[in-house]
Amino acid sequence: MQWRGRRQSRNIEDRRSAGGMSGGRMSGGGSRRGGAGLPIGGVGLVAVVVIGYFFGIDLTPLLDGGTSTSTSTASRPAALSAEDKEMGDFVAVTLGDTEQVWDGIFRAQVGEAYRPVTLVLYSGVTRSSCGNASGATGPFYCPVDQKVYLDTAFFRTLSGQLGAKGDFAAAYVVAHEVAHHVQDELGILSKVNAERARVGEAASNALSVRIELQADCFSGVWAKAAGQMLGSIEPGDIAEASGAARRIGDDTLQRNAGRVPMPESFTHGTSAQRESWFTKGYRSGRLDSCDTFAARKI
């Protein structure tokens, strides 16, 4: 992925240090089309972190020896390292790509302008309108304040512990969370979250899987358009993204955590499903190919 020296989004809220970026548009309250909902997410140390990242469970107490974390703002290191700065630049460029690409897709396929999301960079713990965000909860989109929350340390876990290496694997993570904002803009997320609140756990999990697979498909649509509009995609990038989708399936993560996969507990979909829907979106380049809710078999 060719990202260095390219346009960075201004819709970044950097809480990682006192000297970090603080500019950019601050998102308003609820969804454009009304409604807010639950954030769609997540034994050794690696297993604890992995389960927390992808099953939406805050496992911070297990990581700090049982002491619950009540801090509501991110810890602020004295200065960002060169690696931290580079990661911040990478996220800002990737977010900028999503803004340009989704604006084009919305105008062509939806007939409306796209309203960009704000992305919050933090380190350790920070506060969101959906509750505390921490390294254990992993990247997520909060529909209440319409912001994506990301601790860039996650990229090291993605590459080192999950084996999803490469710039575009990391870009896929950003694109997936932005895709939840796209769902929010289209009125899908609030509708499904309202339904999830009315049904039992098993049915709620099944709806969550379809939401997540649609976000994977939307990520594929974005990747297709990014290659066509920006020329930033390099050979091997799509394989990196589909490989990342494959490595974070519920079945694979549960297996890697030493557990027998339990389909009724899945909230994001299997590895095969996640890779398949990303690929479907990439091949079609169209939003209407991503209707996971109409699909009999996902």
Side-chain angles (χ1 to χ4, degrees), residues 41-42 46-60 63 134-139 268:
V46 173
V48 169
V49 172
V50 166
I51 293 170
Y53 273 142
F54 294 104
F55 298 153
I57 305 168
D58 187 353
L59 300 178
T60 306
L63 298 178
S134 75
T137 55
H268 287 64

Side-chain angles (χ1 to χ4, degrees), residues 7-20:
R7 184 186 77 87
Q8 297 185 13
S9 171
R10 297 189 49 156
N11 295 311
I12 297 282
E13 185 180 330
D14 197 335
R15 302 179 185 176
R16 296 176 300 167
S17 72

Side-chain angles (χ1 to χ4, degrees), residues 273-287:
Q273 288 171 331
R274 299 201 69 170
E275 184 177 20
S276 174
W277 280 96
F278 173 83
T279 302
K280 185 174 184 177
Y282 178 74
R283 287 176 176 169
S284 73
R286 294 197 54 83
L287 293 171

Side-chain angles (χ1 to χ4, degrees), residues 206-235:
L207 287 170
S208 176
V209 167
R210 290 180 184 265
I211 276 285
E212 295 295 338
L213 294 179
Q214 185 178 64
D216 284 330
C217 188
F218 283 177
S219 299
V221 172
W222 167 78
K224 178 79 167 185
Q228 294 173 337
M229 294 173 59
L230 307 176
S232 58
I233 308 299
E234 298 178 307

Side-chain angles (χ1 to χ4, degrees), residues 4-277:
R4 288 179 175 81
R6 295 177 49 226
R7 184 186 77 87
Q8 297 185 13
S9 171
R10 297 189 49 156
N11 295 311
I12 297 282
E13 185 180 330
D14 197 335
R15 302 179 185 176
R16 296 176 300 167
S17 72
M21 292 177 286
S22 59
R25 178 182 61 81
M26 299 292 288
S27 291
S31 166
R32 175 200 298 184
R33 294 170 178 80
L38 301 172
I40 302 290
V43 177
L45 177 61
V46 173
V48 169
V49 172
V50 166
I51 293 170
Y53 273 142
F54 294 104
F55 298 153
I57 305 168
D58 187 353
L59 300 178
T60 306
L62 298 182
L63 298 178
D64 62 15
T67 304
S68 178
T69 302
S70 59
T71 308
S72 62
T73 56
S75 56
R76 294 182 177 272
L80 295 176
S81 68
E83 181 183 18
D84 289 333
K85 290 178 180 177
E86 182 174 67
M87 286 183 176
D89 289 343
F90 169 79
V91 171
V93 170
T94 303
L95 187 64
D97 286 355
T98 69
E99 293 166 355
Q100 185 173 346
V101 168
W102 280 116
D103 184 66
I105 293 173
F106 264 53
R107 292 182 187 280
Q109 298 185 29
V110 182
E112 297 182 18
Y114 170 69
R115 297 197 312 179
V117 67
T118 291
L119 189 148
V120 178
L121 293 172
Y122 70 93
S123 177
V125 180
T126 196
R127 183 175 57 194
S128 84
S129 295
C130 295
N132 278 2
S134 75
T137 55
F140 69 90
Y141 171 69
C142 175
V144 180
D145 58 22
Q146 294 187 303
K147 295 180 180 181
V148 170
Y149 290 82
L150 172 65
D151 184 338
T152 52
F154 172 76
F155 293 140
R156 289 189 284 272
T157 297
L158 183 71
S159 175
Q161 297 174 6
L162 299 181
K165 302 181 185 296
D167 289 342
F168 209 72
Y172 156 77
V173 171
V174 176
H176 177 90
E177 298 309 327
V178 171
H180 286 311
H181 176 66
V182 171
Q183 292 172 319
D184 206 6
E185 288 290 283
L186 294 174
I188 298 170
L189 196 57
S190 59
K191 180 179 178 180
V192 177
N193 277 338
E195 179 64 19
R196 289 180 67 210
R198 288 193 293 266
V199 299
E201 182 179 0
S204 177
N205 287 347
L207 287 170
S208 176
V209 167
R210 290 180 184 265
I211 276 285
E212 295 295 338
L213 294 179
Q214 185 178 64
D216 284 330
C217 188
F218 283 177
S219 299
V221 172
W222 167 78
K224 178 79 167 185
Q228 294 173 337
M229 294 173 59
L230 307 176
S232 58
I233 308 299
E234 298 178 307
D237 281 348
I238 300 305
E240 288 178 3
S242 61
R246 185 171 62 250
R247 285 175 172 84
I248 57 178
D250 287 324
D251 55 338
T252 298
L253 293 174
Q254 289 187 2
R255 232 179 255 112
N256 290 345
R259 300 166 60 192
V260 176
M262 298 179 293
E264 68 276 7
S265 72
F266 291 174
T267 57
H268 287 64
T270 66
S271 291
Q273 288 171 331
R274 299 201 69 170
E275 184 177 20
S276 174
W277 280 96

